Amino acid sequence: MIDTHAHINSRDLPNVETEIFRIQNVDYLDKVINVGLDEETNKEALAISGNSEKFYCALGIHPLHDGKVESIVELCQYSPNRSRVVAIGETGIDSAGEFIPQARKFIETIEVANFLKLPIIIHANNTNEQILDLLKKHPAHYGFVFHCFQPNMFALEEIVRRDGYISVGKPITRPNAKRSLECVRNVPLDNLLIELDYPYMSDDPTQDGRAVFQKIQELREMEYKELERALDTNAKRLFKGLRD
Ligand SMILES: [Zn+2]
């Protein structure tokens, strides 16, 4: 499977080399999109993706992190690993922060993504509606995914209507995930992606991917291979830089 959202060089992990080695050896993870959170982690994520076939990267300034959005363009333009950048993000709005500065940064990030012809990875924490409003005025021309989608059928319908994607991870395996399950059951298969969001939503990427995958399989009543093919196809449709 393709893990579409990870943070293996997050400052919340003790040692990046250990993480790279660990993920490198997880057979069921074919590709991993490693997502930067600020200027430093963007630089590292880009370097990691240049050294390994398994890792790709997304570059962004997380809504709750500091950093200049224009640094993404500079980083991309002069890097020999430019082709490993498959998305811009994560970006978005978190209800824990102030709205106006985050919205400004989000719009600026969309412009960068459009300039670089890349899709965006959206972080929406209790802000699905605000994000959808902003996206209406500032469309992401190369597509978008709501990562770790917070379940809401109205938002889901709107995302699908605009050819967007939702990505789901470990929260769907929780016993009380009723609303998430409803979304996974009802979303058109073509609009669904899978992620682990390690180390934030998963503490064990060597196992958790299987559990999430199985849960989707169960909800969609699909064979392993059939589901894997569908999710991989979706990831490659959105993140065009992913290779076979
Ligand atoms: Zn993330």
Side-chain angles (χ1 to χ4, degrees), residues 59-71:
L59 308 177
I61 309 291
H62 186 283
L64 299 177
H65 286 245
D66 293 327
K68 290 198 182 75
V69 174
E70 68 255 32
S71 68

Side-chain angles (χ1 to χ4, degrees), residues 5 7 37 90 147 197:
H5 197 105
H7 299 283
L37 297 164
E90 59 191 279
H147 109 82
D197 200 9

Side-chain angles (χ1 to χ4, degrees), residues 1-8 23 28-35 54-56 86 121 147 167-169 193-199 202 205-206 208-209 231-232 235 239 242:
M1 64 173 251
I2 300 173
D3 178 0
T4 63
H5 197 105
H7 299 283
I8 60 154
I23 308 280
Y28 79 89
L29 290 175
D30 299 319
K31 303 180 205 311
V32 174
I33 300 177
N34 187 36
V35 181
K54 190 177 262 193
F55 296 105
Y56 290 81
V86 296
I121 296 176
H147 109 82
S167 174
V168 298
L193 296 172
I194 187 168
E195 67 171 48
L196 287 178
D197 200 9
Y198 174 67
S202 153
T206 66
D208 286 344
L231 295 177
D232 283 4
F239 305 113
L242 295 176

Side-chain angles (χ1 to χ4, degrees), residues 3-244:
D3 178 0
T4 63
H5 197 105
H7 299 283
I8 60 154
N9 58 316
S10 155
R11 293 293 176 265
D12 294 312
L13 288 166
N15 184 315
V16 63
E17 300 304 328
T18 316
E19 299 302 333
I20 294 170
F21 183 75
R22 188 147 83 116
I23 308 280
Q24 202 69 267
N25 288 298
V26 180
D27 285 343
Y28 79 89
L29 290 175
D30 299 319
K31 303 180 205 311
V32 174
I33 300 177
N34 187 36
V35 181
L37 297 164
D38 53 27
E39 292 181 32
E40 278 308 301
T41 51
N42 282 340
K43 250 182 243 168
E44 287 170 10
L46 188 59
I48 293 166
S49 65
N51 291 332
S52 155
E53 287 283 297
K54 190 177 262 193
F55 296 105
Y56 290 81
C57 69
L59 308 177
I61 309 291
H62 186 283
L64 299 177
H65 286 245
D66 293 327
K68 290 198 182 75
V69 174
E70 68 255 32
S71 68
I72 298 167
V73 181
E74 289 159 27
L75 190 55
C76 263
Q77 272 174 339
Y78 301 109
S79 171
N81 303 329
R82 164 70 180 83
S83 67
R84 309 294 293 177
V85 183
V86 296
I88 296 301
E90 59 191 279
T91 180
I93 314 273
D94 193 300
S95 60
E98 246 183 286
F99 178 77
I100 304 271
Q102 290 185 83
R104 209 176 287 139
K105 208 158 78 174
F106 179 53
I107 294 164
E108 213 185 314
T109 304
I110 295 171
E111 283 163 5
V112 163
N114 288 343
F115 173 71
L116 294 171
K117 300 188 161 64
L118 290 168
I120 57 168
I121 296 176
I122 297 170
H123 168 104
N125 187 20
N126 300 319
T127 56
N128 284 338
E129 249 174 78
Q130 281 128 305
I131 297 271
L132 284 166
D133 267 356
L134 287 167
L135 273 178
K136 199 176 273 175
K137 285 172 229 132
H138 309 274
H141 295 305
Y142 298 88
F144 63 88
V145 53
F146 277 66
H147 109 82
C148 196
F149 181 61
Q150 289 182 330
N152 174 304
M153 286 305 285
F154 294 108
L156 179 61
E157 261 175 51
E158 194 53 32
I159 291 166
V160 169
R161 211 178 56 79
R162 298 188 206 171
D163 295 325
Y165 294 75
I166 62 163
S167 174
V168 298
K170 206 174 170 199
I172 68 163
T173 64
R174 291 178 191 152
N176 60 353
K178 239 178 90 188
R179 294 196 320 156
S180 285
L181 301 191
E182 195 191 344
C183 288
V184 177
R185 217 179 269 124
N186 288 298
V187 64
L189 187 60
D190 283 352
N191 301 76
L192 182 64
L193 296 172
I194 187 168
E195 67 171 48
L196 287 178
D197 200 9
Y198 174 67
Y200 300 108
M201 290 294 162
S202 153
D203 51 14
D204 184 5
T206 66
Q207 299 299 330
D208 286 344
R210 286 203 183 88
V212 177
F213 195 94
Q214 264 167 22
K215 192 74 204 176
I216 302 177
Q217 242 187 299
E218 187 188 307
L219 291 163
R220 305 292 305 214
E221 298 175 9
M222 287 175 80
E223 297 292 331
Y224 185 94
K225 279 281 160 208
E226 188 192 4
L227 180 61
E228 188 181 40
R229 202 178 312 124
L231 295 177
D232 283 4
T233 304
N234 293 348
K236 288 175 189 165
R237 193 186 312 113
L238 178 63
F239 305 113
K240 295 199 165 41
L242 295 176
R243 306 279 146 70
D244 282 322

